[in-house]
């Protein structure tokens, strides 16, 4: 049987088109979208008057306001809701539709489909992410923002003038980072800014397999992307200093391990090669690394890059797209209906904290 080769880009495009066709079937035009929006808040379209309490029958649900039939006061239908300032509902309902079905779509793609400006689509996703973020429960991991540094390729108003977008991380860190975070931060900056290295050749791999013995495997199994101190590591292995140094030298040779200032160690850039050698990485560290890896994939395939400022927004958005147990059909819309208005000012002043919250479910 011949194996069918699938182009991931075409596959993605096809998925988006199919999802969009289904959306249009349910919501063919702006009028049907705004009626649907009104129905979210008023079952059988009965709008109570906030002044006199009269139950008005809403005859034109696609209008933003109506006049109370009893006291003649103007009633703003969506006043105080998440959708208060929404001018066109189609891009909003479409964004929610895509998220709930787990079909990843970028702001640029949503803008093209729903015929709005890309900046409008971006703001829609950010505002939705604020709602999603508010639903993060107790099952979360706090991950240093420095671990996401590879994704920081866009400028924001927080980016220092004339500097690369990654320098935003340094700026954020210098305002509130503690000493133990400093080494990780410097390491991640250094790693992100240097050119990518070629993968090991077959000859190098063969040599690595010869040199990597039980001692090296044990050290690898203890290391993560969070720095571990030399004395701590030595104690955990139970090796003599000579034994330990020999093993570390072998690991450093193949960049499986990297030595950081202050005699601390971290998994090196070639360490993914050695997954089979590291059977028992501490569960939470592995979870965090998995979340970061999955998120970076999400960013790569949808946005090329993002600014540090909105990192937390995008992590929330990634959760909504990926975790279909929590964010099943109807769940995002329901959360929006129960939420308040998210203002533009709120987005402008939004800044991702140094520790990013990410639901543990993302590591599964
Ligand atoms: Zn009234």
């Amino acid at each position: 049987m011949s194996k069918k080769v699938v182009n991931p880009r075409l596959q993605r495009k096809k998925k988006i088109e199919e999802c969009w066709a289904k959306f249009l079937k349910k919501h063919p035009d702006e009028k049907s979208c705004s009626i649907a929006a009104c129905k979210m808040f008023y079952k059988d379209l009965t709008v109570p008057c906030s002044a006199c309490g009269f139950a008005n029958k809403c005859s034109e649900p696609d209008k933003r306001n109506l006049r109370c039939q009893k006291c003649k006061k103007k009633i703003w239908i969506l006043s105080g809701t998440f959708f208060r300032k929404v001018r066109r509902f189609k891009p909003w309902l479409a964004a929610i539709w895509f998220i709930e079905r787990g079909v990843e779509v970028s702001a640029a793609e949503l803008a093209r489909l729903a015929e709005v400006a890309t900046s409008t689509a971006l703001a829609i996703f950010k505002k939705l992410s604020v709602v999603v973020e508010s639903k993060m429960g107790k099952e979360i991991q706090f991950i240093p923002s420095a671990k996401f540094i590879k994704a920081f390729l866009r400028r924001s108003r927080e980016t220092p003038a004339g500097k690369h977008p990654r320098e935003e991380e340094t700026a954020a860190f210098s305002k509130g980072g503690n000493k133990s975070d400093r080494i990780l931060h410097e390491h991640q900056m250094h790693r992100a800014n240097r050119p990518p290295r070629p993968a090991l050749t077959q000859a190098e791999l063969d040599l690595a397999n010869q040199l990597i013995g039980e001692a090296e495997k044990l050290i690898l199994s203890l290391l993560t992307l969070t720095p571990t101190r030399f004395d701590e590591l030595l104690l955990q292995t139970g090796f003599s200093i000579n034994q330990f140094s020999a093993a570390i030298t072998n690991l450093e040779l193949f960049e499986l391990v990297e030595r950081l200032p202050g005699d601390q160690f971290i998994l090196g850039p070639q360490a993914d090669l050695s997954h089979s050698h590291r059977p028992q990485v501490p569960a939470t560290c592995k979870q965090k690394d998995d979340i970061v890896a999955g998120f970076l994939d999400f960013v790569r395939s949808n946005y090329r890059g993002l600014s540090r400022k909105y990192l937390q927004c995008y992590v929330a958005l990634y959760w909504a797209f990926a975790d279909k147990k929590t964010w099943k059909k109807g769940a995002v819309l329901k959360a929006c209906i129960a939420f308040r208005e998210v203002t533009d000012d709120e987005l402008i002043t939004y800044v991702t904290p140094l520790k990013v919250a990410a639901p543990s479910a993302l590591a599964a």
Side-chain angles (χ1 to χ4, degrees):
M1 236 170 56
S2 67
K3 208 176 156 195
K4 209 177 156 194
V5 182
V6 277
N7 179 335
R9 267 206 190 157
L10 283 180
Q11 210 180 15
R12 171 198 162 96
K13 220 180 140 197
K14 203 174 152 225
K15 243 177 142 180
I16 292 175
E17 274 164 20
E18 281 170 5
C19 192
W20 179 243
K22 281 181 193 157
F23 174 80
L24 287 182
K25 217 172 165 187
K26 183 146 191 217
H27 302 291
D29 50 26
E30 177 54 33
K31 188 173 171 123
S32 70
C33 288
S34 57
I35 291 172
C38 187
K39 279 185 181 164
M40 289 178 222
F41 295 93
Y42 305 104
K43 265 191 186 168
D44 56 36
L45 296 173
T46 304
V47 183
C49 171
S50 54
C52 74
F54 182 78
N56 291 279
K57 196 75 192 156
C58 182
S59 53
E60 287 177 289
D62 58 322
K63 285 264 165 66
R64 285 316 132 92
N65 57 68
L66 54 87
R67 227 166 251 294
C68 175
Q69 285 147 15
K70 200 172 164 195
C71 73
K72 307 292 175 209
K73 215 187 150 227
K74 208 176 198 179
I75 306 167
W76 291 93
I77 293 176
L78 297 173
S79 160
T81 72
F82 177 72
F83 296 99
R84 182 178 88 96
K85 274 211 167 166
V86 170
R87 258 185 287 159
R88 293 183 53 206
F89 285 99
K90 200 172 176 182
W92 286 88
L93 296 186
I96 293 168
W97 183 276
F98 277 111
I99 294 172
E100 287 181 349
R101 279 148 190 85
V103 177
E104 290 174 13
V105 63
S106 71
E109 285 160 326
L110 179 73
R112 185 177 57 81
L113 294 169
E115 296 169 317
V116 289
T118 307
S119 57
T120 307
L122 262 176
I124 289 173
F125 276 123
K126 282 177 191 159
K127 287 182 182 179
L128 289 173
S129 76
V130 173
V131 179
V132 170
E133 194 193 327
S134 77
K135 293 285 177 187
M136 286 187 190
K138 281 182 186 158
E139 296 283 302
I140 49 173
Q141 306 275 352
F142 286 100
I143 307 174
S145 57
K147 288 207 174 199
F148 297 90
I149 217 160
K150 272 190 190 162
F152 302 163
L153 296 171
R154 285 182 192 274
R155 308 182 64 80
S156 78
R157 67 202 292 265
E158 306 290 323
T159 311
K163 295 268 182 73
H164 188 279
R166 276 184 194 128
E167 293 301 324
E168 204 176 309
E169 176 63 28
T170 310
F173 178 78
S174 59
K175 271 184 223 159
N178 63 25
K179 207 180 158 193
S180 74
D181 287 336
R182 179 169 297 276
I183 291 163
L184 174 72
H185 173 260
E186 279 167 9
H187 173 69
Q188 297 282 352
M189 284 295 285
H190 168 70
R191 200 185 246 193
N193 287 332
R194 81 182 161 196
R197 285 194 85 268
L200 294 181
T201 63
Q202 191 54 48
E204 285 172 317
L205 270 175
D206 291 344
L207 184 61
N209 281 325
Q210 279 175 36
L211 284 177
I212 305 300
E214 292 308 314
E216 286 82 1
K217 285 182 196 174
L218 178 63
I219 293 175
L220 279 176
S221 74
L222 295 169
L223 285 174
T224 65
L225 290 176
T226 304
T228 311
R229 283 207 324 272
F230 160 78
D231 50 346
E232 218 175 286
L233 206 53
L234 185 65
L235 198 69
Q236 279 178 307
T237 58
F239 295 161
S240 70
I241 292 216
N242 283 344
Q243 214 181 352
F244 183 84
S245 303
I248 278 285
T249 306
N250 282 340
L251 291 168
E252 277 184 293
L253 187 61
F254 297 102
E255 297 198 319
L256 293 163
V257 160
E258 215 168 313
R259 190 188 296 259
L260 304 179
D263 255 345
Q264 306 206 67
F265 293 93
I266 189 165
L267 281 176
Q270 303 284 0
D272 344 11
L273 291 170
S274 62
H275 267 312
S276 55
H277 302 318
R278 22 187 312 236
Q280 12 154 274
V281 178
T284 52
C285 292
K286 181 159 185 328
Q287 269 190 341
K288 287 180 191 181
D289 291 350
D290 286 350
I291 293 172
V292 173
F295 177 75
L296 291 177
D297 267 351
F298 169 76
V299 172
R300 225 170 283 134
S301 49
N302 293 295
Y303 304 98
R304 271 173 276 168
L306 45 91
S307 66
R308 186 203 176 277
K309 180 174 166 67
Y310 294 109
L311 170 63
Q312 179 70 76
C313 278
Y314 284 94
V315 170
L317 205 54
Y318 169 50
W319 177 41
F321 272 115
D323 178 7
K324 285 304 121 214
K325 232 172 157 179
T326 308
W327 296 106
K328 45 187 177 259
K329 278 183 201 172
V332 180
L333 192 60
K334 197 176 155 196
C336 290
I337 292 169
F339 209 69
R340 55 178 171 80
E341 184 190 356
V342 178
T343 63
D344 292 332
D345 269 356
E346 199 174 330
L347 286 190
I348 290 168
T349 53
Y350 189 99
V351 175
T352 297
L354 284 169
K355 296 262 194 253
V356 177
S360 304
L362 285 172

